[in-house]
Amino acid sequence: MDRAKVIVVEESKAAGADFLQLDVGEAPPGGRADWLAARLRSAIADGRAPVGTRLPASRVLAAELGVSRGVVTEAYQRLAEDGQVAGRGRAGTVVVATPAAVVTRPSEPRRAPEVFATRPGFDAFDALRAVPAQVDLTPGVPDLAVFPRAAWLRAERAVLHRMTPAAFGYGDPIGTPALRLAVANWLARSRGVRADPAEVVIVAGVSQALGLLARVLHDRGTHTVAVEDPGSLGVRQHLAYSGLATPPVPVDDRGLCVDELERSGAPAVLLTPAHQFPTGVVLDGDRRRRLLRWAHDGGLVVEDDYDAEHRYDRPPVPALRAMAPDRVCYVGSISKLLAPALRIGWMLVPPALHAGVVAAKRAADLGNAALPQLVLAELMESGALERHLRLLRHRHVRRRDAMIRAVRAYLPGAVVHGAAAGLHLMVTLPGDVDDRALAAAALRRGVKVHPLSWHGQRPQPPGLVLGYAATPPSDIDRALATVADAHRTLPG
């Protein structure tokens, strides 16, 4: 009997799984879920568990490893939050994405900080994207790991089944009727904007929308569009590249300072009223009323509905377009909800500008690719896009909360702004630290961030703009610890 007991004990010590040759004996005491999640991530990254691999059922793997089922389900949940695995019902838990590989370039080990060494040029974002990093906290990047591939494929099959041969030819340069109708319906139910589908112009993202509008305004004698300050560097660059001056208008905790806009004499203004970039503030009711009076007196408002659908702790904010369709040009896109690579956006312009925008779009490219438009229309009309948005909101809240905790833990004295919505936080820092030097120091340590000063034309308090949507909570914590380490090396 004693011999039998010894054999049982020895066998339990050797518990392990044939799957990935997992040996629970390697796990530290109290850290089995962490160990298992790390082993699975490693296997996905190096190809031992490629996309499409079905992971063992939690009960089965738990029995093989001699651990509680909760250890396995927690490890699987962490990978699901990272977007690397997903539950597929009866098909079990399946690997759906690999983590982004960190590319190293030994021949250029110290060039990364040069991105922040000078005033950002038109290629600043391209240059920053090209720099390898361990954790990317670039703002405005959605969680690409949870792109709804299965829903997209189902919609694409349905669309291809219905498409006639004529649908593969040249179409309407302002977009397929199906997507224009779907966008009109989407805006009506999600943003309170009533629009006839004929008013909708489908574009290749907000950048093209701004380029088309800039061309029309320039041809009509408008050479200046005021912008928020701080405000999006990318938007400012698009307008400047199109030949428009972009005088800054201050933003405070109530949004755009309309009195400053009135004093500027600018005939048009571009702003992000539902979730201002980068501060995250919402244009308040009094400012909205004053802005609309300014517009009715002859001004043109360009409303970039940036991040409007990504809200967590506040009620929805109506779009300005819903209140003044004759004076507001509305632009939006799918880039922050699905993926920037789709290059699909939309714009609604006042009647006086519509013909000019349509002509500019026709001259630019004869229209966007039809098939992605039809697939997106199917997702919008079937309810799949709303379901995806609900999934994203849940994930984003967890990641936002993780970032707030990390900022408080590692950067005491820093102030967090804009937490109620969006895909990023703005963090202002105490003292006189050079935020571009801080961003460069963080980049040397493998973490990408935006310095707040990048997004201002006038002097700004030092700070950082930190994206959280595409980063798992564990990486967020590690990245903020790295930023804090970089901060300690700087004067101020």
Side-chain angles (χ1 to χ4, degrees), residues 48-187:
R48 287 176 292 143
V51 171
T53 298
R54 178 178 175 177
L55 302 184
S58 58
R59 182 177 285 107
V60 172
L61 187 55
E64 291 181 354
L65 294 177
V67 299
S68 71
R69 189 181 179 192
V71 168
V72 179
T73 56
E74 183 177 348
Y76 283 9
Q77 179 62 30
R78 293 181 187 181
L79 266 65
E81 290 173 357
D82 294 353
Q84 294 173 29
V85 305
R88 292 288 186 257
R90 293 183 179 180
T93 302
V94 178
V95 177
V96 296
T98 58
V102 178
V103 179
T104 58
R105 298 177 183 175
S107 61
E108 300 176 323
R110 290 294 176 184
R111 291 186 60 188
E114 294 179 11
V115 175
F116 303 111
T118 59
R119 187 174 182 84
F122 285 113
D123 64 344
F125 295 109
D126 292 335
L128 183 58
R129 276 192 291 267
V131 176
Q134 295 173 348
V135 183
D136 188 349
L137 299 183
T138 298
V141 179
D143 189 356
L144 302 178
V146 291
F147 181 86
R149 300 175 189 226
W152 184 273
L153 286 172
R154 284 194 299 271
E156 190 169 64
R157 284 194 294 268
V159 166
L160 287 170
H161 181 72
R162 293 195 304 263
M163 284 181 73
T164 63
F168 290 97
Y170 289 103
D172 193 324
I174 64 171
T176 64
L179 182 55
R180 285 187 278 125
L181 174 61
V183 168
N185 292 337
W186 173 268
L187 295 178

Side-chain angles (χ1 to χ4, degrees), residues 152-421:
W152 184 273
L153 286 172
R154 284 194 299 271
E156 190 169 64
R157 284 194 294 268
V159 166
L160 287 170
H161 181 72
R162 293 195 304 263
M163 284 181 73
T164 63
F168 290 97
Y170 289 103
D172 193 324
I174 64 171
T176 64
L179 182 55
R180 285 187 278 125
L181 174 61
V183 168
N185 292 337
W186 173 268
L187 295 178
R189 64 179 181 264
S190 66
R191 303 297 296 125
V193 174
R194 293 176 177 269
D196 189 292
E199 299 177 71
V200 178
V201 179
I202 302 301
V203 291
V206 170
S207 59
Q208 187 184 44
L210 296 180
L212 297 175
L213 183 62
R215 177 174 177 178
V216 173
L217 292 179
H218 202 278
D219 289 347
R220 294 168 65 92
T222 296
H223 305 295
T224 300
V225 176
V227 295
E228 299 166 315
D229 194 59
S232 169
L233 168 63
V235 164
R236 193 165 74 243
Q237 288 180 334
H238 282 303
L239 295 175
Y241 188 79
S242 298
L244 296 178
T246 57
V249 177
V251 171
D252 61 19
D253 60 359
R254 297 170 58 200
L256 184 86
C257 296
V258 181
D259 54 345
E260 295 286 345
L261 171 64
E262 294 167 343
R263 282 193 285 269
S264 75
V269 62
L270 187 149
L271 72 163
T272 50
H275 181 249
Q276 201 274 335
F277 183 90
T279 68
V281 302
V282 176
L283 188 67
D284 77 2
D286 180 64
R287 298 274 177 93
R288 283 171 171 261
R289 289 186 289 272
R290 292 183 61 185
L291 179 65
L292 292 176
R293 284 198 298 270
W294 174 86
H296 284 302
D297 289 340
L300 176 69
V301 174
V302 183
E303 178 179 18
D304 180 357
D305 209 18
Y306 183 84
D307 277 357
E309 60 277 320
H310 298 293
R311 58 178 180 81
Y312 318 117
D313 303 327
R314 63 164 173 77
V317 179
L320 293 173
R321 170 75 188 196
M323 295 177 273
D326 290 343
R327 301 306 308 167
V328 176
C329 177
Y330 178 96
V331 298
S333 82
I334 211 68
S335 295
K336 305 299 186 293
L337 185 51
L338 284 178
L342 294 176
R343 307 312 305 141
I344 300 178
W346 45 80
M347 60 191 305
L348 301 170
V349 296
L353 301 177
H354 189 266
V357 168
V358 172
K361 175 62 175 172
R362 181 184 297 110
D365 56 18
L366 296 180
N368 291 29
L371 183 57
Q373 292 185 58
L374 296 173
V375 175
L376 178 57
E378 179 78 10
L379 292 177
M380 285 180 160
E381 298 290 60
S382 69
L385 197 58
E386 274 99 344
R387 291 191 292 274
H388 182 64
L389 176 56
R390 288 193 292 271
L391 167 68
L392 290 179
R393 282 176 175 165
H394 176 72
R395 292 168 63 86
H396 291 167
V397 166
R398 292 172 62 90
R399 295 178 178 197
R400 178 205 62 179
D401 292 349
M403 179 168 279
I404 292 173
R405 287 193 301 270
V407 169
R408 290 172 177 168
Y410 299 116
L411 295 171
V415 179
V416 173
H417 308 261

